[in-house]
């Protein structure tokens, strides 16, 4: 069972409240999600193809990321997700801010980071996750957005 911390709308952790992956998030509660945009020194970007069994399966995302585990800080979550989903370690992370993707509907607060200075090792995705990772030039990524191949709005 994966547990998450609960946060209020001002991004204050709610003491004594745990959220459980797969269970509804109560009204007024949020959970922390971290995403990492990876830009290589040659200007290309690392894209991830969504697991075919998940929502929007087979489409590309411009970020690696996922939910922060209970007690995990946003940057630690971003580092873990990047390593799990791409096998990459980054020398530098730059915060790109916080997003509330759909406040009236979704209980997520997303911390977005840019990662540079990469070294690659072995991917270790979750058991229920299959990912394809590809380095794409910026011009190709822009075409993919226009052709609706990249589903991620971040």
């Amino acid at each position: 069972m994966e547990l998450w911390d609960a946060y209020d709308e001002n991004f204050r952790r709610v003491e004594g409240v745990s959220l459980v992956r797969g269970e509804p998030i109560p009204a007024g509660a949020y959970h922390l999600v971290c995403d990492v945009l990876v830009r290589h020194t040659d200007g290309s970007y690392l894209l991830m193809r969504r697991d075919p069994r998940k929502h929007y399966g087979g489409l590309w995302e411009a970020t690696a990321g996922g939910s922060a585990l209970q007690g995990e800080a946003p940057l630690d979550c971003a580092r873990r997700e990047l390593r799990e989903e791409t096998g990459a370690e980054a020398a530098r992370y730059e915060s790109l801010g916080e997003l509330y993707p759909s406040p009236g509907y979704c209980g997520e607060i997303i911390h977005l980071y840019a990662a540079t200075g990469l070294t690659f090792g072995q991917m270790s995705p979750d058991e229920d996750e299959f990912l394809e990772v590809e380095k794409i030039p910026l011009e190709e990524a822009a075409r993919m957005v226009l052709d609706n191949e990249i589903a991620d709005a971040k």
Side-chain angles (χ1 to χ4, degrees):
M1 172 185 343
E2 186 173 299
L3 297 177
W4 304 329
D5 289 322
Y7 293 85
D8 67 16
E9 65 277 355
N10 296 311
F11 190 61
R12 290 186 302 247
R13 193 161 52 91
V14 180
E15 296 295 328
V17 178
S18 295
L19 303 174
V20 179
R21 181 184 186 122
E23 293 185 6
I25 294 175
Y30 296 86
H31 79 283
L32 177 66
V33 174
C34 298
D35 282 297
V36 182
L37 179 67
V38 179
R39 183 172 187 263
H40 294 278
T41 55
D42 66 3
S44 65
Y45 288 84
L46 194 67
L47 299 183
M48 283 63 61
R49 189 184 296 267
R50 290 187 58 79
D51 186 311
R53 299 166 291 181
K54 298 200 175 198
H55 288 80
Y56 305 106
L59 294 177
W60 292 91
E61 292 183 286
T63 59
S67 297
L69 303 176
Q70 195 165 46
E72 192 172 43
L75 184 54
D76 293 332
C77 172
R79 286 183 176 124
R80 177 182 53 79
E81 288 289 344
L82 180 63
R83 186 176 52 254
E84 286 177 4
E85 294 186 0
T86 69
E89 300 273 350
R92 292 171 299 287
Y93 286 85
E94 177 186 350
S95 175
L96 300 177
E98 298 173 15
L99 309 170
Y100 295 80
S102 185
Y105 170 75
C106 178
E108 292 181 352
I109 301 168
I110 298 175
H111 283 252
L112 188 59
Y113 294 91
T116 56
L118 303 173
T119 57
F120 286 88
Q122 178 124 2
M123 292 171 53
S124 58
D126 293 337
E127 283 181 20
D128 67 341
E129 199 169 42
F130 170 79
L131 295 168
E132 180 182 340
V133 178
E134 194 169 323
K135 187 176 169 182
I136 305 284
L138 178 59
E139 297 77 20
E140 178 69 6
R143 184 206 53 80
M144 292 171 75
V145 168
L146 295 173
D147 290 347
N148 293 319
E149 294 178 53
I150 296 178
D152 194 351
K154 293 181 284 306

